[in-house]
Each structure stands twice: as C-alpha cells, then as structure tokens.
Amino acid sequence: LLVHPHGSEQHAADGHDFLRWLGATSRARETLERGLARFPSSWRLHERLRTQLLYERGAAGLEEDYARRLAQPGAAPELAWFAAYAARVAAETHRRAGERELALAAYERALERYDHDKVAHPGHAPSADHYSALALAGRAHIFFELGELARAADGLVLAFERAPRSAASFDGLGMTPIDSARTLLARLEQAGENALYD
C-alpha cells in the first residue's frame, strides 16, 4: 500500500500502528519513514513520529531529529512547519517536567521557525500565527511562574495580537491564553500592579 497508486497516508499510519502492536518495532519505524517520504505533510504520520521520538529520545531528541531532517538535501518544504511544531511540543514537555529554562529556549526556537516558515510559505500564515500565539502564551506563563509579571503581561499581549481567535484554544498542557491572562490579572490585582494592564 505504501507504493500503490491508491495508497494513502491513512494506510501508512494503520500499517505502522499494526506493526507496533505486533512488536515489530524496526519494521514499524521503516513503515513510518517510508510513509513520511511519500506523504511529507501528513499530520497523522508526524504525530506518530513525535510520539516515537519523545518516548525514545525525549524532548531534546525530538528537536534534534527534526533539525537533522531539515538539514538533509531535498528536505520537503512542509518539514519546516512540522519542525516548528515539534519545538513547541518540546517546550511543553519541558514545562511538564518543571524545566523552565529549557522550555523557554524551545519556545524561542518554535517562534523563530514559525516566523521563518511564514515568510517562506505565506499560505501557512494562519496556522503559524495560531501556534505562535500558543507559544507566546506558554512562554508568558513561565514568566508568570518566575515572578516576572511585566514580561508575562507583554507576552500575553503579543499572543492576543498575533492571533486573537486563538485566545480560547488549548495548548498541550490544557491551558488557553485566556486562562493565563486571568491568572496574571488576579496576581496583578493582588500585588496592586494594575498599571501593567490599564
């Protein structure tokens, strides 16, 4: 099915999942790679790749793998967007582990990749802005946790400006930019620092 003219990304994903279920891990990896070679913009296949990389190599390994793929000659143009997404997933993974500095650095890389991809592929702008807004809000929440309230406020303003319609969207930790803004406003009112949001 991977080479058949009527083969689809769903066939590749199902074949990968079946082989993993059987315990044929190396064959599953091979199937995933062949599927990605044929369907480089497949959300399903990249989702499986991210899951595999996070399990086997952690957040750092996830980013390293996508950076390696991007550096290969003839890399698919779509790969840059997925590399940006992988960096954002890595940032959220670091946040779950309480690794704030690593998370901040990964968010920066995600934002840089999204900005670059948006210039190279203007058609990606809506999704790039959406996920950039989530990254900006995630970064702002870390600043909030670190007690850097002014930087948190600035970051949330940037998130709302980047993609206003994404304000109620959940990130990988189940938070929305609005959630972060409400938490920050409550802390600012408690601290008497209303000037930050007047």
Side-chain angles (χ1 to χ4, degrees):
L1 287 173
L2 281 173
V3 297
H4 193 279
H6 297 298
S8 69
E9 61 178 283
Q10 186 63 59
H11 291 138
D14 289 346
H16 165 268
D17 295 347
F18 180 64
L19 288 165
R20 285 194 69 85
W21 179 79
L22 287 175
T25 306
S26 61
R27 290 291 300 276
R29 286 198 193 99
E30 178 188 340
T31 298
L32 181 58
E33 291 296 341
R34 291 174 65 195
L36 284 165
R38 182 173 177 186
F39 306 105
S41 60
S42 169
W43 179 269
R44 291 184 182 93
L45 297 179
H46 280 281
E47 183 178 33
R48 284 158 174 78
L49 178 62
R50 289 192 303 271
T51 299
Q52 173 186 300
L53 290 169
L54 279 173
Y55 177 76
E56 294 177 353
R57 299 172 54 189
L62 170 64
E63 284 198 83
E64 288 168 4
D65 188 86
Y66 270 92
R68 177 187 61 78
R69 291 170 187 270
L70 274 176
Q72 290 177 343
E78 301 92 338
L79 193 56
W81 188 95
F82 285 102
Y85 192 93
R88 193 181 67 83
V89 169
E92 292 173 347
T93 303
H94 288 306
R95 277 179 66 189
R96 283 192 199 90
E99 300 164 340
R100 291 172 178 155
E101 294 304 320
L102 292 175
L104 287 172
Y107 274 132
E108 289 297 330
R109 288 189 292 272
L111 289 166
E112 289 173 8
R113 289 192 185 281
Y114 277 126
D115 286 343
H116 181 269
D117 182 64
K118 192 166 70 166
V119 172
H121 306 99
H124 295 179
S127 63
D129 284 339
H130 169 74
Y131 288 111
S132 291
L134 295 183
L136 287 164
R139 187 179 66 175
H141 199 85
I142 295 176
F143 290 143
F144 167 80
E145 292 173 343
L146 293 172
E148 299 182 36
L149 303 188
R151 293 183 77 183
D154 289 343
L156 285 168
V157 169
L158 288 174
F160 293 133
E161 290 176 343
R162 179 69 65 94
R165 293 183 179 180
S166 301
S169 298
F170 291 99
D171 64 11
L173 285 81
M175 295 191 66
T176 71
I178 289 176
D179 292 334
S180 293
R182 286 175 177 156
T183 304
L184 175 62
L185 286 172
R187 176 69 66 83
L188 291 172
E189 288 172 356
Q190 195 176 51
E193 298 188 38
N194 298 25
L196 284 176
Y197 60 89
D198 283 347

